[in-house]
Amino acid sequence: MTLNRPEVLNAFDVVMMHELHACWRDLRDNDEVNAIVLTGAEDKAFCTGADRDAMGVGDPGRANDIGQRGGTPLHQNDPGDWLPPKTAGELWKPVIAAVNGMACGGAFYLLGQADIIIAAEHATFFDPHTTYGMAAVFEPMAMLQRMPIGEVLRMSLMGAYERMSARRAHEIGLVQEVVPGTELIEAARHVAETIASQPPLAVQTTVRAVWYAQELGHRQALDVAKTLIHLGTDQDSLAAGQRVFASGRRPQWRLR
């Protein structure tokens, strides 16, 4: 999947939000797809959040599908209703984000629910909300799933005055691999194809288990785990795996 609005650094408008939501649902229901690579068009940006001009930021009369709906503040639309693969798409197939440049602001709706993040060496991460008079709320909440609290607070509060490098993002665990820009898609594709070559039920149940453990308390997650073991065990795949193991054949592996 490619976020394809390079003329605005792959910022999303209402059309892109709806297309992403539909894409996540289509991918969820397509049994021929077992892993997804998500990236941005060209090499300047992965995504720079909301297209402020298209979305009418600061102009309530132009805020299509974002912000308060109706006469009271109790009905609120947010990009988080459309963009994140797990919240919006109920998608438990692994999403590998290939960050090919700037990732800021609303990009964290996507990165916060990616399963693996691979970054080009020139990638940068920052959250400019506070600099432009906006509270950073949903984005840092999402990134707390992936980053230490001090790093989330620094990125959120420094706004547009500081950017995190791919190297630093790797040091704190936000990014799992950093590669030259020319090798980014190949590296992401290698991970996706390797994952997709394995039994899909086992893979998807593993993804769901890890996110349960991240979102629930430890004891609650262990209780859910007992159910997941039953739901996520396919007897045919288990038997095939045992035959491969008993044969002595092992996959060709590489050291990271």
Side-chain angles (χ1 to χ4, degrees), residues 4-13 16 45 47-51 53-54:
N4 191 19
R5 301 186 77 224
E7 69 281 3
V8 289
L9 299 175
N10 300 318
F12 54 78
D13 61 2
M16 182 186 275
C47 176
T48 53
D51 182 340
D53 291 331

Side-chain angles (χ1 to χ4, degrees), residues 75-88:
H75 301 100
Q76 184 84 7
N77 275 0
D78 183 78
D81 299 327
W82 302 97
L83 297 175
K86 294 168 177 60
T87 299

Side-chain angles (χ1 to χ4, degrees), residues 42 45 94 126 145 210-211 234 239:
E42 301 184 5
F126 61 104
Q145 303 291 323
V210 172
W211 283 94
D234 177 80

Side-chain angles (χ1 to χ4, degrees), residues 123-142:
T124 56
F125 304 83
F126 61 104
D127 190 344
H129 276 83
T130 55
T131 299
Y132 300 114
M134 303 171 70
V137 178
F138 290 105
E139 293 84 356
M141 285 182 175

Side-chain angles (χ1 to χ4, degrees), residues 142-209:
M143 297 316 287
L144 269 173
Q145 303 291 323
R146 309 195 66 100
M147 294 167 57
I149 186 171
E151 294 287 351
V152 173
L153 283 165
R154 177 164 179 156
M155 184 170 69
S156 301
L157 297 176
M158 292 293 283
Y161 291 94
E162 183 175 270
R163 300 186 183 189
M164 181 186 296
S165 67
R167 176 192 58 79
R168 179 60 180 160
H170 184 260
E171 288 175 350
I172 66 171
L174 169 61
V175 166
Q176 282 64 70
E177 186 177 5
V178 178
V179 298
T182 56
E183 299 175 13
L184 177 64
I185 297 303
E186 180 184 349
R189 185 176 289 123
H190 167 76
V191 172
E193 289 178 349
T194 301
I195 293 170
S197 71
Q198 300 176 96
L201 181 60
V203 167
Q204 292 168 33
T205 306
T206 299
V207 171
R208 192 67 186 97

